[in-house]
Amino acid sequence: MHQTVQRTPHDQGLPAAINIIALTSFAASLSARALDPVLPHVADEFSISIATAASFASAFALTYALVQPVLGAAADLFGKARLMIGCLALLGVASILGALSNSFLLFFATRILAGIGSGGVFPVALGLTSDLVAPDKRQVAIGRTLAGSMTGNLLGASVSGLIGDFLGWRGVLAVLGALVLLASMVVAAGFRGAALTHPPKTNLSSLKQGYRTIFSNPNARICFSAVFIEGCCVLGLFPFIAAFLMDLGVTSLSIAGIVIAGFAVGGLFYTLTVSHFLPRLGVKGMMIAGASLVALQLVALAFGPGWKIQFLNLLAMGWGFYMIHGCLQVFASELSVEARATAMALHSFFFFMGQTAGPIAYGFGLQHAGKLPVLSTAAAIMVVLGLICARLLRPRTPADAAGRPDVRP
C-alpha cells in the first residue's frame, strides 16, 4: 500500500499514524515472550522436558519466519494496515485456543497459528512506518514503533509471570488473547481515521521485480545473515532463562517474568536514547557498541549471578541488542521503495529462522558442553558480527528509487 503523504526533511514531528502503528506492535508483542516465564509449568503439565517445551518457541518462530514472504507480498498487494488488523485478530484467537488445549499436539498447533498472526503485524508495521517517514527521521520513527513492541514484550513477560502464579499458564494465554482481540478492534477504528485506505498499486509482476531489486542490493546479504545470527545467539537463549533461575533455587514465575522483561526495558531505553546516541556514535559505532554490550552480558549470564543481577544483565543486553538491530532494520527498510513490506518481511523471515534454530542449538550445547562454553561462544560471535556489519554495511540508494525526490542515500 502506497500512502500519499507529504514529507520534507525539515519536518519536526512524526505522522500521527505512527502512534497507531506503535499500538499495533504493542498488542502483537504482548504474547511474544509470554510463555517463557511459565515454560517449566507447561513442561510439567504435558510431561515433557524443558528442551522439548522450548520447541514451542521454535514452532512460533519458525511459523513466523515461513509466512513472511507470503505476508510481505500480501501487504504490498492488499494494504499494510488491513493485513495487520486481520493478523492481530488471528493472534488473539490462537492464544485463547491455546489456553483451551488439552494435549501437546493441540497446543503446538495453536502456537503455529499464533506465529502466523504475529508474523503479519510487526514486520509490516516497520514497512508502513518507513513509508510514512523520510530517511533522515526513519531510525527515530522506527524507534517509536519499537517502543510499542518493547512495551508489549515488557508487560507480556512480566505480567505473564504474575498471572501464572495465580491462574497458571492457561490463564496467561486466555488473558493476553482477550487483550489482543480488544486491541485489534481499537486499531481498526484508529486506522479508519488515519487516511491509509488508498488502493494498492502493486501487482504480481512488480512483486517479482521487487525481489530482484532487494537481492541486487549488496546490503541484503549482510542484513539478512546478521539478523539470523542475532536471533540464534540472543533470542534463542530466552526459553532457558526460567530454567537457569530454577537451577539457582528461584522457582517464582513472577521473578522469571521480571528477569526476562529486563530485555524489553533495555529495548525501551534504546528507543528513548537513540536520537541522542546516534549523532554521537554514528551507525557504525552503534553497531559495534551494541554487539559488544550484548557479548558482555552473555558471558555474565554464564556465571549464574542472582536474579537481580540477571535482570540488569538482560536490561543491558536489550539496550545493546537494539543498538545493532535498529541499524539493521533501517538498512533493510532501504533495500527497496516499491517492495518495502516485502523487504521487511524477508528481514523478519531470517530473524525468526535464527530464533527457530537458536533454542535447538542452545539446548544441544547446554546438554553436551555446559553453560559457560556455549554462552561464551555466542558472545564471541556477536562481537565479530558487530565488526563485520560496521565494516560492510553502507547507505545505498534502492534500485527502484529513480525519480523519487523523497528518497536519498
Side-chain angles (χ1 to χ4, degrees), residues 17 20-21 24 81 84-85 128 186-197:
I20 304 170
I21 298 170
T24 310
M84 285 192 292
I85 294 167
L128 184 53
V186 174
V187 167
F191 274 134
R192 277 200 296 270
L196 298 177
T197 56

Side-chain angles (χ1 to χ4, degrees), residues 109-123:
T110 64
R111 297 314 294 164
I112 292 175
L113 286 177
I116 295 172
S118 184
V121 178
F122 185 64

Side-chain angles (χ1 to χ4, degrees), residues 47 50 127 167 222 280 288 297 312 360 397:
S47 300
I50 286 291
L167 301 178
I222 305 165
R280 291 170 172 78
I288 294 172
Q297 307 318 309
L312 296 177
I360 298 171
T397 303

Side-chain angles (χ1 to χ4, degrees), residues 95-184:
S95 297
I96 293 173
L97 290 176
L100 301 175
S101 300
N102 57 8
S103 73
F104 174 83
L105 289 178
L106 284 176
F107 187 66
F108 197 85
T110 64
R111 297 314 294 164
I112 292 175
L113 286 177
I116 295 172
S118 184
V121 178
F122 185 64
V124 180
L126 292 178
L128 184 53
T129 299
S130 299
D131 284 346
L132 295 172
V133 181
D136 58 340
K137 293 185 178 297
R138 193 165 291 155
Q139 190 152 351
V140 175
I142 286 178
R144 184 175 296 183
T145 302
L146 276 173
S149 177
M150 288 302 97
T151 305
N153 277 331
L154 169 61
L155 291 180
S158 56
V159 173
S160 69
L162 182 62
I163 296 172
D165 278 332
F166 289 96
L167 301 178
W169 66 267
R170 295 182 185 274
V172 169
L173 290 178
V175 171
L176 293 182
L179 289 175
V180 171
L181 280 177
L182 177 62
S184 70

Side-chain angles (χ1 to χ4, degrees), residues 68-89:
Q68 289 308 309
V70 175
L71 292 179
D76 281 325
L77 279 170
F78 305 114
K80 299 180 180 70
R82 195 175 299 121
L83 183 74
M84 285 192 292
I85 294 167
C87 286
L88 200 59

Side-chain angles (χ1 to χ4, degrees), residues 311-391:
F311 170 82
L312 296 177
N313 292 146
L314 267 292
L315 187 154
M317 185 187 294
W319 182 30
F321 173 80
Y322 282 100
M323 286 176 74
I324 178 172
H325 190 69
C327 295
L328 293 173
Q329 285 173 326
V330 172
F331 278 111
S333 75
E334 296 170 353
L335 295 174
S336 171
V337 175
E338 298 299 326
R340 183 169 281 135
T342 302
M344 298 309 296
L346 286 169
H347 179 273
S348 286
F349 168 80
F350 285 99
F351 183 43
F352 277 84
M353 285 301 292
Q355 292 187 50
T356 301
I360 298 171
Y362 269 113
F364 181 85
L366 291 169
Q367 183 177 358
H368 293 88
K371 188 190 295 186
L372 182 58
V374 171
L375 269 66
S376 297
T377 300
I381 292 172
M382 286 301 299
V383 171
V384 173
L385 179 69
L387 293 171
I388 290 175
C389 289
R391 179 176 178 82

